[in-house]
Amino acid sequence: SCNTTIYPDLCYSSLSPFTNNVQSNLTRLAKAAIAVSLRSSRHTMILLTSLSAQADPKVAGALRDCFSNFGDAFEEIRESLDQMKTLG
C-alpha cells in the first residue's frame, strides 16, 4: 500500500510499528494510518502554539490561522478514526 503513496519511505517508517497488529488486514492498516495522521496533526498544533507565543504579532496571527486550520483537520481525522472503529 505504501508503494502507491507520494512519500513511500515516510509511509513505511510511520506504519512499520504497526506491522504485527495490521498483518494483511486492510481495515487495521487504514486505522493505523489514520491514528498516525491524528498524532502528527496533534504534534503540529502543539508546535504552532509554541511558535505563535514567541513570534512577532504579524507572524503570530498567521500561525494562529494555521492552528485553526489544523484544528479543523484534526477534528476531521478524529471523526474518520471514529467511523473506522465502527467497521470493526
Side-chain angles (χ1 to χ4, degrees):
S1 295
C2 286
N3 288 332
T4 61
T5 66
I6 296 172
Y7 304 104
D9 292 340
L10 178 61
C11 179
Y12 284 119
S13 66
S14 297
L15 296 177
S16 63
F18 301 95
T19 303
N20 290 337
N21 185 36
V22 169
Q23 296 173 358
S24 61
N25 185 313
L26 293 180
T27 301
R28 288 183 189 160
L29 176 62
K31 287 179 188 177
I34 294 169
V36 167
S37 297
L38 190 63
R39 186 172 55 243
S40 293
S41 65
R42 183 181 303 124
H43 287 294
T44 300
M45 292 171 63
I46 292 168
L47 176 63
L48 288 169
T49 299
S50 175
L51 290 173
S52 67
Q54 303 168 23
D56 68 67
K58 286 184 181 179
V59 173
L63 290 170
R64 283 191 297 274
D65 289 345
C66 287
F67 179 88
S68 177
N69 288 335
F70 267 94
D72 292 343
F74 179 84
E75 286 304 314
E76 294 289 332
I77 296 167
R78 188 186 58 73
E79 288 174 16
S80 294
L81 187 56
D82 289 344
Q83 287 298 314
M84 287 300 298
K85 287 178 182 176
T86 66
L87 297 177

